[in-house]
Amino acid sequence: MRQTFPALSKGQVPMLLWLLLLILAPGREQSELAPKAFIRLTPPWSTNFKGKTVTLTCEDSHSPAQGGISWYYDDILLKKKSGKLQIRNSGYYKCKTPGSSLSDPVHVEFLSDWLILQASLPVFEGDDVYLRCQGWKEEDITKKIYYKDGEKFAVTYDSGFIRLNSASTNNSKYHCTTYVEGLFGMWKESSKALRIQVQELFPPPVLTASPSQPIEGSPVTLKCETWLPPQKSDTQLQFCFFSGDQALGSDWRSSSELQIPAIWSEDSRSYWCQAKTVTHSVMKRSLKSQIHVHRVPVSDVNLEIQPPGGKLIEGDNLVLTCSVARGTGTITFSWHREGTIRILGRKTQRSLSAEFQIPTVKESDAGRYYCAADNIHGPILSTLITVTVRIPVSRPVLTIRAPRAQAVVGDVVELRCEAWRGSPPILYQFYHEDATLGSSSAPSGRAASFDLSLTADHSGNYSCEADNGLGAQHSDRVTLNVTVPVSRPVLTLNPAGTQPVVGDVLELRCEAQRGSPPILYWFYHDNVTLGKSLAPFGGGASFNLSLMAQPSGNYSCGADNGLGIQCSEVVMLNFTVPSRSKITPVTVGVILGLLSILGLAATAALVCKFRTQKKSGGISATGTASPNDCQEPFLSRSFGTETQESTHFEPPALMELQPVYSNVNPGDRDLVYTLVGSIQHTKEHLVNPGDRDLVYTLVGSIQHTKEHLANSPRLHWKHKGPTVIYSEVKKTHPDDSAGQASCRGWAHEDATESYENVPSTSLALYH
């Protein structure tokens, strides 16, 4: 038996189709295809038993064909010209009509086997296929088994057929088997393998463009052309168009045409299309077709500026519009400033104009601008346009220049107002608080000054304003404090109008009516500094003095705020010592008598002792320097945190006396010494006329604490009665500097060195 399946490679449908397309569309310039003829079989089975006859009918779109038919048997042209051909030999059959192209080959096989497998013909892509397993003696068969590529997939028990859905050219092999009953039992029969012949439903589509070489910007129509066989003319197809790998327009469409409104130079590329059935069972694509788009060069490039005239204020928006009179396709616009290499901006778009914006112009943006346009044929430049930018003044800075660190009444200060940026000319205004002091113009910009002679009313806040016609700007406020020197203070004593006594608290009040704070006040008693007090906010200050001893004398005060001290007038104070002794007149007389006798006896001893000490360099009588009255350096002293610093004023007789003898009983807490009397000797009474006057006084009433006793040197006593201590008062000499400053009283020496202790006779009255 003839083996037909290996010969299938000679007439494979795809190969013939591609050859046909290459013939019909040389150079990939595809033309319209003629529809294929097709062959109809009666009966419609691809395999038949030997001796059977099969009738072939050649048809085209004008079915049935009317003559001029060409028949081919295994690619050999037969002489038969009629529309039908009866065959009994196995082989490949094809036909062609005058109005069609060559049909797909049909393979018909005649077998003398006991069992054959038949497939329905014709079968198109996507159609269902019917298979029938047929025996020589059908009545002896009860069961049929179907196989695909050796795998069982169906079983039947009658002479019917089975259906395969959506046939495709996958070259699968099918066969069937059965068991036959005979006189000698059952045996197995198998059919010959069968490949299903699937005809092409429609050829691959052909893409055409109209016009084939369009001008840039013009419309183009794309067509995706194919055809269906007459027996499948009711099959619905869908189409899709592609540029490169990107789909054009909407997805699948029923129309085989696509309208492109405007095509551009960059659209010059390959295009292709696809066609498929609605059921998606068959899908085919066309060959790629190249489309070339022609471009028109740009010409007449023009630049326009908004706002018109090119005059802007810093911060405005500058809009540069570049346009061309002619040109197609994608145009690249660029913007430039004369003198710079850097491109300000670039835009590529399909339009005859484009805009570039500088949102906030600066002073550096001033200059001459131009633009360029290019659509591949080279850039074309516009004319130059000048842009000017005016700068509003920046916020000015006010500085105050004074001849010294602290401005004082009478100084001349310079108010300087400066704006770092701003187009000239600039007008400057100067203000004190909200009052206008004056104005000054700076024709070239920058700064202006204003001179001001200071008075006491010129303290406060100063500011300035700069304006160049584009909006005024105000500076921050600068505070100027004008320092006023203190006036001469006035010292008052409180309580006033009463006679103070020992034990009272006396308030010394010093106040300067004028002067910038802070003011430091000093308080003096006979050239001795009592204390100081700070008035941080001006006004006066007080000092409280506890009257523990004789406070009579001259009091004064000084005021200083760093611009020179001013002194008050001297206030003289006299007070009365209250009588503390309760001795009767008789007792006083006795005491005075005893003291007179003892005084005469002790005078010689005291004078002799005094002269001896003077000659031998005995107890030092050197005094300390008096305070620099009203000339304390104000700025060199720290005011501290207290408003009053008091110096405890002790009577001269109580300040650091040098003991001669010890107390009788160091454990006693209170020792009382009572004044017996005083004797003054004139120079004639003294042994040495050069000696000073001697005054014998009682030291006073002294209370010692344990601490005082511990720190004092031990004193020795020969009698139980109290010892009388005599002190020598130094005389003030005329050569002392009593008038060194206006605030001085008299020259005094330190209280600790104003007296010298001398030995005394052990005669005293115990109080």
Side-chain angles (χ1 to χ4, degrees):
M1 181 174 290
R2 184 178 179 181
Q3 299 294 325
T4 59
F5 289 108
L8 183 62
S9 61
K10 295 181 180 179
Q12 290 181 345
V13 176
M15 179 64 68
L16 293 175
L17 178 59
W18 287 115
L19 290 174
L20 179 61
L21 291 175
L22 291 174
I23 294 172
L24 294 176
R28 303 180 74 178
E29 294 290 337
Q30 299 176 351
S31 62
E32 185 176 355
L33 292 175
K36 288 182 180 182
F38 64 91
I39 299 175
R40 189 184 300 276
L41 283 72
T42 304
W45 301 109
S46 61
T47 305
N48 295 276
F49 286 108
K50 190 72 172 179
K52 298 290 184 179
T53 300
V54 176
T55 301
L56 304 181
T57 303
C58 186
E59 298 181 358
D60 59 14
S61 58
H62 303 286
S63 178
Q66 299 298 322
I69 306 300
S70 300
W71 289 96
Y72 297 85
Y73 172 62
D74 289 341
D75 294 331
I76 299 174
L77 180 61
L78 301 177
K79 295 181 179 180
K80 183 71 173 179
K81 300 296 182 181
S82 63
K84 292 184 179 183
L85 178 67
Q86 290 184 346
I87 62 173
R88 291 185 179 183
N89 296 321
S90 298
Y92 288 92
Y93 294 88
K94 294 184 290 185
C95 74
K96 182 180 180 302
T97 67
S100 69
S101 59
L102 194 64
S103 70
D104 291 332
V106 174
H107 183 263
V108 181
E109 192 168 14
F110 295 92
L111 300 176
S112 58
D113 296 345
W114 197 95
L115 187 66
I116 62 174
L117 179 61
Q118 298 175 315
S120 61
L121 287 177
V123 177
F124 292 94
E125 296 169 310
D127 286 351
D128 293 339
V129 180
Y130 295 93
L131 298 179
R132 186 173 72 172
C133 189
Q134 189 73 21
W136 183 258
K137 291 183 178 181
E138 189 69 21
E139 64 274 7
D140 295 335
I141 300 174
T142 58
K143 180 180 179 181
K144 302 173 183 177
I145 303 173
Y146 294 85
Y147 295 88
K148 177 181 179 181
D149 296 329
E151 297 291 335
K152 182 174 69 173
F153 70 91
V155 177
T156 62
Y157 296 92
D158 54 22
S159 60
F161 51 81
I162 64 172
R163 184 173 66 180
L164 300 179
N165 296 325
S166 187
S168 62
T169 56
N170 55 12
N171 292 326
S172 295
K173 291 182 179 181
Y174 296 86
H175 76 278
C176 65
T177 62
T178 186
Y179 289 92
V180 181
E181 294 182 0
L183 296 176
F184 303 100
M186 296 185 63
W187 71 90
K188 182 180 180 181
E189 291 285 348
S190 296
S191 71
K192 184 181 178 179
L194 170 69
R195 283 189 175 92
I196 300 175
Q197 300 178 54
V198 179
Q199 296 186 42
E200 188 177 52
L201 177 61
F202 57 88
V206 176
L207 179 70
T208 60
S210 178
S212 60
Q213 293 185 349
I215 301 297
E216 194 170 33
S218 63
V220 172
T221 301
L222 301 179
K223 291 183 179 180
C224 189
E225 296 180 298
T226 187
W227 62 274
L228 291 168
Q231 63 270 42
K232 290 292 184 179
S233 59
D234 58 345
T235 302
Q236 294 183 0
L237 297 180
Q238 291 183 327
F239 303 89
C240 188
F241 297 84
F242 296 87
S243 172
D245 296 329
Q246 184 177 2
L248 300 176
S250 59
D251 202 4
W252 294 94
R253 61 180 64 209
S254 59
S255 174
S256 61
E257 293 186 1
L258 174 66
Q259 182 76 28
I260 299 177
I263 193 167
W264 308 100
S265 177
E266 55 269 25
D267 296 329
S268 296
R269 61 172 67 94
S270 60
Y271 291 79
W272 55 280
C273 67
Q274 277 186 329
K276 71 173 183 177
T277 60
V278 176
T279 59
H280 304 280
S281 58
V282 182
M283 180 184 298
K284 296 181 181 180
R285 60 175 291 175
S286 71
L287 296 176
K288 292 183 178 180
S289 178
Q290 190 72 27
I291 298 178
H292 298 278
V293 182
H294 296 275
R295 169 166 290 182
V296 177
V298 297
S299 61
D300 297 337
V301 181
N302 183 51
L303 177 64
E304 295 180 356
I305 291 183
Q306 292 293 335
K311 295 182 179 180
L312 297 94
I313 299 174
E314 186 179 45
D316 288 350
N317 293 334
L318 174 61
V319 180
L320 306 174
T321 303
C322 191
S323 62
V324 297
R326 289 181 303 276
T328 61
T330 301
I331 302 176
T332 299
F333 297 91
S334 59
W335 291 265
H336 310 263
R337 186 171 70 246
E338 186 181 35
T340 59
I341 301 176
R342 183 177 63 89
I343 298 177
L344 300 179
R346 178 185 283 112
K347 286 186 179 180
T348 301
Q349 57 191 45
R350 295 190 189 105
S351 66
L352 298 179
S353 65
E355 287 185 355
F356 175 74
Q357 182 175 351
I358 301 177
T360 305
V361 297
K362 303 181 291 296
E363 185 178 11
S364 58
D365 293 326
R368 299 207 297 173
Y369 290 78
Y370 64 94
C371 72
D374 183 15
N375 63 349
I376 300 178
H377 295 282
I380 306 298
L381 305 182
S382 70
T383 58
L384 292 169
I385 294 183
T386 302
V387 173
T388 59
V389 179
R390 293 197 65 201
I391 313 300
V393 293
S394 61
R395 191 172 189 181
V397 176
L398 177 66
T399 55
I400 300 178
R401 298 177 180 177
R404 66 188 80 192
Q406 181 64 47
V408 181
V409 172
D411 289 348
V412 176
V413 297
E414 178 190 5
L415 306 180
R416 180 178 176 83
C417 191
E418 183 173 8
W420 292 100
R421 299 182 70 251
S423 300
I426 302 176
L427 179 64
Y428 292 94
Q429 297 274 357
F430 297 87
Y431 301 92
H432 173 220
E433 301 299 347
D434 295 328
T436 302
L437 296 176
S439 62
S440 180
S441 178
S444 59
R446 297 307 297 241
S449 299
F450 180 82
D451 293 335
L452 178 65
S453 180
L454 298 180
T455 66
D457 297 331
H458 281 145
S459 292
N461 296 320
Y462 288 80
S463 62
C464 68
E465 177 185 272
D467 189 5
N468 64 348
L470 301 178
Q473 293 290 333
H474 295 268
S475 71
D476 291 332
R477 290 177 177 268
V478 177
T479 301
L480 175 65
N481 293 319
V482 180
T483 304
V484 179
V486 293
S487 60
R488 188 173 188 181
V490 176
L491 177 66
T492 57
L493 306 179
N494 294 318
T498 60
Q499 187 70 25
V501 297
V502 173
D504 288 349
V505 175
L506 182 65
E507 178 189 8
L508 307 181
R509 176 77 177 173
C510 190
E511 183 173 3
Q513 297 299 320
R514 289 188 305 107
S516 299
I519 302 175
L520 182 64
Y521 291 94
W522 298 85
F523 297 88
Y524 306 99
H525 172 224
D526 289 342
N527 204 33
V528 176
T529 302
L530 298 176
K532 60 186 176 181
S533 181
L534 177 66
F537 306 106
S542 298
F543 179 82
N544 294 327
L545 178 64
S546 179
L547 303 181
M548 300 302 296
Q550 180 177 354
S552 298
N554 296 324
Y555 288 82
S556 63
C557 69
D560 188 9
N561 65 348
L563 300 178
I565 190 169
Q566 293 291 331
C567 302
S568 70
E569 294 182 354
V570 175
V571 177
M572 184 174 291
L573 176 66
N574 295 314
F575 88 113
T576 302
V577 178
S579 177
R580 297 185 181 179
S581 177
K582 298 181 180 180
I583 303 174
T584 61
V586 177
T587 305
V588 172
V590 174
I591 291 173
L592 290 177
L594 292 175
L595 285 177
S596 298
I597 298 173
L598 291 174
L600 293 175
T603 298
L606 288 173
V607 172
C608 182
K609 177 68 176 179
F610 178 74
R611 291 176 61 86
T612 302
Q613 289 179 350
K614 293 287 286 184
K615 291 180 180 181
S616 62
I619 301 174
S620 175
T622 304
T624 60
S626 301
N628 294 326
D629 299 334
C630 295
Q631 296 183 17
E632 293 281 350
F634 177 73
L635 297 177
S636 65
R637 293 179 176 268
S638 174
F639 294 145
T641 58
E642 298 181 4
T643 60
Q644 176 172 307
E645 180 183 316
S646 61
T647 302
H648 185 64
F649 189 85
E650 295 286 351
L654 297 179
M655 298 180 65
E656 300 182 11
L657 297 178
Q658 300 180 10
V660 179
Y661 302 103
S662 300
N663 293 327
V664 176
N665 185 2
D668 292 343
R669 297 181 59 88
D670 299 326
L671 297 179
V672 181
Y673 300 87
T674 305
L675 176 65
V676 175
S678 64
I679 303 175
Q680 287 191 346
H681 296 275
T682 63
K683 292 182 180 180
E684 289 78 13
H685 296 153
L686 300 176
V687 176
N688 186 356
D691 289 340
R692 305 177 186 181
D693 294 342
L694 297 180
V695 180
Y696 299 92
T697 62
L698 180 65
V699 173
S701 175
I702 303 176
Q703 291 187 352
H704 292 279
T705 62
K706 292 181 179 180
E707 182 180 355
H708 294 151
L709 296 175
N711 295 331
S712 301
R714 180 169 294 278
L715 304 177
H716 301 282
W717 293 80
K718 293 182 180 181
H719 304 282
K720 294 183 180 180
T723 300
V724 177
I725 299 176
Y726 299 92
S727 297
E728 177 185 5
V729 180
K730 295 181 180 180
K731 180 180 179 181
T732 302
H733 293 278
D735 59 350
D736 290 341
S737 56
Q740 292 180 358
S742 60
C743 290
R744 285 181 177 269
W746 295 270
H748 287 271
E749 298 197 44
D750 197 311
T752 59
E753 299 183 2
S754 297
Y755 307 94
E756 292 182 356
N757 298 325
V758 295
S760 64
T761 306
S762 299
L763 179 62
L765 176 64
Y766 178 75
H767 189 297

